[in-house]
């Protein structure tokens, strides 16, 4: 009997519109690749590779980290598994390594769905639907989460794409992010205080080469354009890559790879900063979804 190994990220769904091509995976509803005119805009991974570094994954029902995996919601103490054991945190939600059900797959659009049921540290039943579509706005991701249970649930969302402009080292990349504040964190990357970026390395409002700067940093106070979107941009020579986000995605995480300067730069749209389920400087952006209600957010990537 011949054995055929499955891909580590399950089925692969290609979507195409003109010059733009993306591939989304069954596992995690992950944006595995995105290219324009054959040039990568997302630094992804091969179909036979295991995801590492969160590349392209959907992060919900919380993004980033929760201190000690603990929080209290509506009077009930919750304890999540410590999925970042070296820092004793719960990280990046519950859906990034599970298969998502395929709802529809057309030439330029794929829709997937997953349910999360009550479990240790998570009190509710939710359904998440993610649509990836390619078109004139690039590859656009629309995420809707519905509360299927009888009580309210806490909620936060992020995605983890790495963008590329053909660099060998991120030092060469010109970066701009229209954020007025950054989140100062402790050695576990958990919130301490929100600080104005003025006069600091974290001031990315004017486009400039990254150089030797290192970030694994959440920023907020993002300036939006007339279309209601904020935009973070990378440039190098004639190459560019841009991430935009619509209303309700009021944070971005910038990750430059730290010691790995060849990983490309992750620009992560987020509804809230780390540890938002607990009191502190990010808590006000935790979303509460009442029973029977839904929350939708939209963001996209383009480049050339």
């Amino acid at each position: 009997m011949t054995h055929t190994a499955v891909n580590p990220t399950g089925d692969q769904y290609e979507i195409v519109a003109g010059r733009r091509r993306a591939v989304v995976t069954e596992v995690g509803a992950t944006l595995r690749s995105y290219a324009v005119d054959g040039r990568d805009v997302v630094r992804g991974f091969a179909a036979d590779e295991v995801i590492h570094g969160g590349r392209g994954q959907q992060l919900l029902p919380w993004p980033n980290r929760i201190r000690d995996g603990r929080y209290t919601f509506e009077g009930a103490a919750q304890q999540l598994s410590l999925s970042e054991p070296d820092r004793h945190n719960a990280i990046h939600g519950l859906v990034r390594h599970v298969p998502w059900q395929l709802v529809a797959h057309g030439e330029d659009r794929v829709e997937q769905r997953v349910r999360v049921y009550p479990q240790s540290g998570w009190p509710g039943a939710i359904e998440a639907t993610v649509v990836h579509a390619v078109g004139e706005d690039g590859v656009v991701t629309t995420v809707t989460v519905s509360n299927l249970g009888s009580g309210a649930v806490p909620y936060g969302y992020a995605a983890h794409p790495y963008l590329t402009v053909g660099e060998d080292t991120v030092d060469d990349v010109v970066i701009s992010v229209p954020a007025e504040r950054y989140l100062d964190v402790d050695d576990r990357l958990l919130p301490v205080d929100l600080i104005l970026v003025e006069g600091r390395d974290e001031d990315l409002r004017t486009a400039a080469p990254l150089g030797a700067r290192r970030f694994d940093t959440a920023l907020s106070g993002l300036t939006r354009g007339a279309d209601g979107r904020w935009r973070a941009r990378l440039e190098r020579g004639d190459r560019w890559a841009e991430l935009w986000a619509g209303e309700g995605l009021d944070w971005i995480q910038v990750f430059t790879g730290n010691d790995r300067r060849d990983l490309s730069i992750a620009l992560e749209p987020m509804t809230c900063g780390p540890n938002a389920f607990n009191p502190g400087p990010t808590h006000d952006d935790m979303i509460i979804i009442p029973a029977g209600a839904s929350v939708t957010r939209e963001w996209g990537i383009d480049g050339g």
Side-chain angles (χ1 to χ4, degrees):
M1 180 177 176
T2 302
H3 170 68
T4 302
V6 300
N7 288 315
T9 53
D11 292 338
Q12 311 289 302
Y13 309 119
E14 181 181 74
I15 49 177
V16 179
R19 304 178 299 121
R20 298 172 171 89
R21 174 186 179 273
V23 176
V24 178
T25 72
E26 175 187 9
V27 174
T30 299
L31 180 63
R32 183 171 69 77
S33 67
Y34 174 58
V36 179
D37 289 328
R39 299 203 295 190
D40 287 337
V41 177
V42 164
R43 178 72 68 86
F45 56 96
D48 61 356
E49 284 186 80
V50 176
I51 296 177
H52 58 90
R55 289 183 180 272
Q57 291 180 322
Q58 307 293 321
L59 314 179
L60 64 88
W62 76 89
N64 217 295
R65 295 163 173 86
I66 295 179
R67 183 186 298 274
D68 301 319
R70 296 176 185 164
Y71 66 97
T72 298
F73 183 72
E74 295 198 332
Q78 303 290 345
Q79 177 64 67
L80 293 156
S81 298
L82 300 181
S83 44
E84 190 184 40
D86 55 333
R87 294 193 176 103
H88 211 258
N89 297 318
I91 190 170
H92 289 342
L94 299 170
V95 301
R96 62 190 183 126
H97 295 297
V98 301
W100 288 54
Q101 179 185 355
L102 180 65
V103 177
H105 181 200
E107 183 178 2
D108 60 357
R109 179 184 184 275
V110 60
E111 179 177 351
Q112 295 164 275
R113 180 172 63 210
V114 71
R115 284 187 177 179
V116 179
Y117 290 96
Q119 57 193 274
S120 176
W122 176 250
I126 60 171
E127 183 172 87
T129 301
V130 171
V131 175
H132 288 91
V134 287
E136 289 305 310
D137 272 348
V139 57
V140 177
T141 303
T142 306
V143 181
T144 299
V145 169
S146 301
N147 183 353
L148 306 182
S150 58
V153 292
Y155 174 61
Y157 166 78
H160 207 300
Y162 287 72
L163 276 60
T164 183
V165 284
E167 71 284 347
D168 293 318
T169 171
V170 296
D171 303 46
D172 299 336
V173 177
V174 173
I175 183 171
S176 61
V177 179
E180 295 180 350
R181 295 177 179 83
Y182 78 95
L183 189 66
D184 186 31
V185 296
D186 61 19
D187 59 355
R188 293 167 61 191
L189 300 182
L190 294 164
V192 175
D193 195 14
L194 270 170
I195 297 173
L196 291 171
V197 299
E198 186 71 37
R200 298 178 177 270
D201 281 349
E202 290 82 3
D203 191 348
L204 304 174
R205 293 173 294 180
T206 300
L210 180 66
R213 290 178 292 175
R214 297 158 53 113
F215 297 120
D216 193 355
T217 305
L219 300 104
S220 66
L222 290 150
T223 300
R224 297 179 179 275
D227 60 359
R229 299 171 175 176
W230 57 258
R231 288 174 166 79
R233 187 176 176 95
L234 306 179
E235 298 177 347
R236 177 177 169 271
D238 67 344
R239 297 280 296 272
W240 63 277
E242 187 173 84
L243 181 142
W244 59 263
E247 296 297 331
L249 287 158
D250 295 328
W251 290 75
I252 184 173
Q253 185 90 7
V254 177
F255 177 57
T256 57
N258 294 334
D259 293 334
R260 285 290 306 276
R261 306 298 282 182
D262 60 339
L263 285 176
S264 78
I265 297 174
L267 298 177
E268 308 165 36
M270 306 191 296
T271 63
C272 58
N275 205 40
F277 285 9
N278 287 305
T282 65
H283 186 58
D284 286 349
D285 287 320
M286 181 187 77
I287 298 168
I288 296 176
I289 309 180
S294 299
V295 172
T296 298
R297 298 291 182 262
E298 187 172 80
W299 60 276
I301 295 171
D302 208 4

